[in-house]
Amino acid sequence: MDIYEFYQSGQEYTIAQVANDEELSRDIQTCLAWLQLLDSSVDGKFGTISTAALENFQKLMKCPKIGVLDTDTAKKLIETDPTELPLPRLRPGDDLAGRIIKYMLTKNYYVSNKEKEYNIVYVEGMNADGTENNDAPNQFNDRRIVIEVVEGIPKIVGNWEATTEPGRYFTQNPMDTKGAARIKFNQYKAWRFGAHKNQPRALRQDENVTVHRDFNRDGFRTGDKLDTGLFGINQHHANGAPRHDIGKWSAGCLVGRTVADHETFMNLITQDRRYKINKNYLFWTAIIPGDDLLKQFPIV
């Protein structure tokens, strides 16, 4: 049954009963996603992430019965607008964290505004202080950034050297006949905790992303054909490679330069509340151009 039929029935379901009704599960997930409480697919599979989101909603709305679906919870799911949730309002400032979050919002990207839920962002062609660089090829001149929102205020909790592009070697010697993969600026929910080659702690691409195929090997996205699929675009480290030589460390992956910084990154994101609930959690990651960020939200 759908959630309206459930409300009218006057019944009370356990979580297990909800999970056994795919239509009802999907309706509840749709409500929770619209309220921005569910960071998961609306797929009718009511697992640990959906259960945690429902219980969070019940606590926020002071439902009398937590962990079961009754008519009170169903009514509030149907009627509640996101603006009515007693959550801290997202208030990005003019610092680097705030400007990144503002940019993401203009793109309609997903932003978690809850503590211990981390927003992973790669900014291409940007220095640690938020100034623009020349984005020269074959260099670790991008940033891997993690932002946490605390009481509505975005805060950078990690900011490390990285590259979002393949190095010179794989640009000239692509692993695919269509050309080297250069990830398309966008946000993707595509990575799970896993291994990259001999690195046991990485984020492994498990869902599709879109890349530009550098068939003419010029090191730019302009005019390149798009290709969508599973390409092994993982998030790993470059074992301390020189800043000015990516070498063979990236054929299109999102790569942190040093082992220590990568370990700090992995230690942080594995403390994410969603991952701790579900070790199969699929992480969001946004890849944005530094020049466009600064154009839209300049340093003040």
Side-chain angles (χ1 to χ4, degrees), residues 39 104 109-110 118-123 143-146 164 183-192 203-204 208-209 233-235 254 265 269 274 281-288:
D39 177 15
M104 292 175 67
Y109 291 169
Y110 175 82
Y118 301 114
N119 299 281
I120 303 172
V121 186
Y122 287 80
V123 186
R143 304 305 297 184
R144 172 191 276 174
I145 292 176
V146 176
T164 60
I183 196 164
K184 182 179 185 293
F185 294 127
N186 208 333
Q187 184 186 47
Y188 307 91
K189 187 174 177 63
W191 289 271
R192 288 191 173 93
L203 289 183
R204 181 189 67 234
N208 289 349
V209 301
I233 305 242
N234 301 331
Q235 301 185 42
L254 305 172
F265 168 65
I269 63 166
R274 298 160 295 186
Y281 175 70
L282 198 63
F283 285 90
W284 288 98
T285 298
I287 302 91
I288 66 177

Side-chain angles (χ1 to χ4, degrees), residues 131-236:
T131 55
E132 184 181 358
N133 61 50
N134 64 2
D135 197 22
N138 200 47
Q139 296 186 19
F140 289 93
N141 50 17
D142 310 320
R143 304 305 297 184
R144 172 191 276 174
I145 292 176
V146 176
I147 297 174
E148 180 184 14
V149 178
V150 180
E151 294 298 319
I153 305 297
K155 302 290 184 183
I156 289 177
V157 292
N159 183 347
W160 306 281
E161 293 176 289
T163 182
T164 60
E165 301 182 84
R168 180 179 296 114
Y169 178 85
F170 282 113
T171 297
Q172 299 303 319
N173 303 277
M175 299 177 71
D176 191 295
T177 57
K178 295 190 292 289
R182 184 168 279 100
I183 196 164
K184 182 179 185 293
F185 294 127
N186 208 333
Q187 184 186 47
Y188 307 91
K189 187 174 177 63
W191 289 271
R192 288 191 173 93
F193 182 93
H196 171 79
K197 296 184 178 179
N198 64 345
Q199 298 181 26
R201 285 164 49 85
L203 289 183
R204 181 189 67 234
Q205 185 200 352
D206 269 4
E207 295 291 341
N208 289 349
V209 301
T210 299
V211 301
H212 297 259
R213 287 293 182 184
D214 191 1
F215 183 76
N216 63 357
R217 306 181 187 188
D218 67 353
F220 296 99
R221 293 178 175 86
T222 307
D224 291 345
K225 293 182 178 180
L226 298 178
D227 192 9
T228 299
L230 290 167
F231 308 121
I233 305 242
N234 301 331
Q235 301 185 42
H236 61 91

Side-chain angles (χ1 to χ4, degrees), residues 92-102 145 147-148 154-156:
D94 293 324
D95 59 354
L96 180 57
R99 289 186 289 112
I100 290 173
I101 294 300
K102 288 177 185 177
I145 292 176
I147 297 174
E148 180 184 14
K155 302 290 184 183
I156 289 177

Side-chain angles (χ1 to χ4, degrees):
M1 70 179 83
D2 65 30
I3 194 168
Y4 301 96
E5 292 170 329
F6 178 86
Y7 169 65
Q8 292 169 347
S9 75
Q11 297 184 67
E12 182 174 298
Y13 270 16
T14 64
I15 295 299
Q17 287 174 303
V18 171
N20 284 331
D21 188 324
E22 184 174 338
E23 183 181 15
L24 181 59
S25 294
R26 191 181 299 275
D27 271 7
I28 295 170
Q29 289 175 329
T30 299
C31 292
L32 292 170
W34 184 66
L35 293 166
Q36 297 186 324
L37 294 176
L38 178 64
D39 177 15
S40 185
S41 302
V42 176
D43 56 7
K45 298 176 182 178
F46 213 85
T48 53
I49 294 289
S50 297
T51 299
L54 177 61
E55 292 180 353
N56 185 28
F57 172 79
Q58 290 176 316
K59 291 171 185 176
L60 289 170
M61 299 305 295
K62 301 189 184 308
C63 297
K65 294 184 178 180
I66 308 297
V68 297
L69 180 67
D70 58 6
T71 54
D72 179 79
T73 296
K75 184 174 188 293
K76 287 175 178 174
L77 281 169
I78 293 167
E79 296 180 350
T80 302
D81 185 87
T83 60
E84 298 174 309
L85 287 175
L87 288 169
R89 182 173 61 87
L90 186 58
R91 294 174 288 129
D94 293 324
D95 59 354
L96 180 57
R99 289 186 289 112
I100 290 173
I101 294 300
K102 288 177 185 177
Y103 184 89
M104 292 175 67
L105 292 172
T106 67
K107 298 291 185 179
N108 293 318
Y109 291 169
Y110 175 82
V111 174
S112 174
N113 66 348
K114 306 178 189 70
E115 292 186 38
K116 301 301 180 183
E117 293 189 4
Y118 301 114
N119 299 281
I120 303 172
V121 186
Y122 287 80
V123 186
E124 191 170 293
M126 194 184 76
N127 301 313
D129 61 0
T131 55
E132 184 181 358
N133 61 50
N134 64 2
D135 197 22
N138 200 47
Q139 296 186 19
F140 289 93
N141 50 17
D142 310 320
R143 304 305 297 184
R144 172 191 276 174
I145 292 176
V146 176
I147 297 174
E148 180 184 14
V149 178
V150 180
E151 294 298 319
I153 305 297
K155 302 290 184 183
I156 289 177
V157 292
N159 183 347
W160 306 281
E161 293 176 289
T163 182
T164 60
E165 301 182 84
R168 180 179 296 114
Y169 178 85
F170 282 113
T171 297
Q172 299 303 319
N173 303 277
M175 299 177 71
D176 191 295
T177 57
K178 295 190 292 289
R182 184 168 279 100
I183 196 164
K184 182 179 185 293
F185 294 127
N186 208 333
Q187 184 186 47
Y188 307 91
K189 187 174 177 63
W191 289 271
R192 288 191 173 93
F193 182 93
H196 171 79
K197 296 184 178 179
N198 64 345
Q199 298 181 26
R201 285 164 49 85
L203 289 183
R204 181 189 67 234
Q205 185 200 352
D206 269 4
E207 295 291 341
N208 289 349
V209 301
T210 299
V211 301
H212 297 259
R213 287 293 182 184
D214 191 1
F215 183 76
N216 63 357
R217 306 181 187 188
D218 67 353
F220 296 99
R221 293 178 175 86
T222 307
D224 291 345
K225 293 182 178 180
L226 298 178
D227 192 9
T228 299
L230 290 167
F231 308 121
I233 305 242
N234 301 331
Q235 301 185 42
H236 61 91
H237 67 72
N239 200 36
R243 288 187 174 90
H244 300 293
D245 186 10
I246 292 171
K248 296 182 181 180
W249 285 104
S250 178
C253 289
L254 305 172
V255 185
R257 189 177 74 84
T258 72
V259 177
D261 286 353
H262 179 74
E263 284 302 305
T264 303
F265 168 65
M266 294 302 300
N267 288 339
L268 179 61
I269 63 166
T270 51
Q271 293 305 307
D272 190 296
R273 186 184 66 85
R274 298 160 295 186
Y275 174 78
K276 295 185 81 170
I277 292 171
N278 177 11
K279 294 300 188 290
N280 202 38
Y281 175 70
L282 198 63
F283 285 90
W284 288 98
T285 298
I287 302 91
I288 66 177
D291 55 354
D292 195 40
L293 168 66
L294 286 163
K295 179 180 177 181
Q296 294 200 41
F297 300 99
I299 297 172
V300 294

